[in-house]
């Protein structure tokens, strides 16, 4: 399970730069009671039996936590991710898709992590890199009440969210993906590699409840997307996570 604290804020901030905290008069966190209810009743987290995991500051640290678990053979790939966040973290608004489609996907899927330029992994796109590396089998996006679908279409099957399928496509290195993107979408430039489909679901948070307990939990503060008044959640989540 992959949780961002900004999910528990009544409004969603977009296009934030830096770690300046949100205005406490404009962005209000959930109450402690509602936060605990969500953790316990929706996510089946327990204070008496904490779940292994990690508390991070910025969300791309989740990628490197998973990387450590995979390298130490504590986590097998591909694995399911439940993404509880105000954003999809798939890269809409940055140029990560250019590198993924034009370079990273030229490598066989099993070799991508070793060839990955990790300086390109950001909190806004880390989930696409985990998908491109073949780590993830499927994703449940648990939606904020004001969810504004920001799943990047570049990595979707047929460049559309109609089928709710990721399908990564690689193109020759000589192609300027950014300049040629419209022709790529129109099918005028063919990919040299197409990965298998990876399904995802969109679940309004009111309808969400996990059927079984999670193996690992990542909880992210995202200071640039949350007010200081939400930081009480960091102490509470420590009651439910056994940090490793």
């Amino acid at each position: 399970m992959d949780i961002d604290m900004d999910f528990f804020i009544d409004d969603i901030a977009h296009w934030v730069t830096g770690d300046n905290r949100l205005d406490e008069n404009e962005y209000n966190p959930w109450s402690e009671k509602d936060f605990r209810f969500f953790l316990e009743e929706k996510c089946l987290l327990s204070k008496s039996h904490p779940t292994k995991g990690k508390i991070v500051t910025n969300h791309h640290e989740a990628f490197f936590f998973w990387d450590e678990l995979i390298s130490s053979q504590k986590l097998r790939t591909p694995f399911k991710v439940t993404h509880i966040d105000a954003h999809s973290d798939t890269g809409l608004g940055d140029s990560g898709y250019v590198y993924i489609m034009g370079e990273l996907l030229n490598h066989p899927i099993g070799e991508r992590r070793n060839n990955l330029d990790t300086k390109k992994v950001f909190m806004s796109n880390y989930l696409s890199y985990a998908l491109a590396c073949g780590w993830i089998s499927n994703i449940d996006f648990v939606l904020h009440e004001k969810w504004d679908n920001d799943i990047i279409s570049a990595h979707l099957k047929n460049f559309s969210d109609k089928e709710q399928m990721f399908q990564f496509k690689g193109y020759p290195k000589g192609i300027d993906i950014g300049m040629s993107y419209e022709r790529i979408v129109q099918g005028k430039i063919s990919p040299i590699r197409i990965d298998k489909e990876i399904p995802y679901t969109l679940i309004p948070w009111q309808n969400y409840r996990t059927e079984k307990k999670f193996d690992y939990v990542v909880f992210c503060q995202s200071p640039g997307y949350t007010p200081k008044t939400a930081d009480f959640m960091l102490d509470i989540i420590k009651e439910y996570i056994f940090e490793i």
Side-chain angles (χ1 to χ4, degrees), residues 168-220:
F168 282 72
K169 301 161 285 290
Y171 293 82
K173 287 187 176 181
I175 293 177
D176 186 326
I177 300 296
M179 294 295 294
S180 305
Y181 187 71
E182 184 175 347
R183 296 177 62 212
I184 288 172
V185 173
Q186 293 171 348
K188 295 179 180 179
I189 300 177
S190 299
I192 59 173
R193 186 186 300 274
I194 301 177
D195 286 358
K196 68 177 183 179
E197 300 170 358
I198 304 171
Y200 68 89
T201 55
L202 304 177
I203 309 172
W205 76 263
Q206 297 91 336
N207 300 337
Y208 174 73
R209 188 178 188 273
T210 184
E211 296 179 354
K212 60 181 182 178
K213 293 186 177 182
F214 293 95
D215 296 316
Y216 296 98
V217 177
V218 175
F219 187 87
C220 178

Side-chain angles (χ1 to χ4, degrees), residues 1-2 42-45 51-52 80-82 84 208 210-217:
M1 181 167 59
D2 184 29
K42 297 287 190 177
C43 304
L44 300 185
L45 296 184
T51 303
K52 295 177 182 178
K80 178 179 179 178
V81 170
T82 297
I84 301 172
Y208 174 73
T210 184
E211 296 179 354
K212 60 181 182 178
K213 293 186 177 182
F214 293 95
D215 296 316
Y216 296 98
V217 177

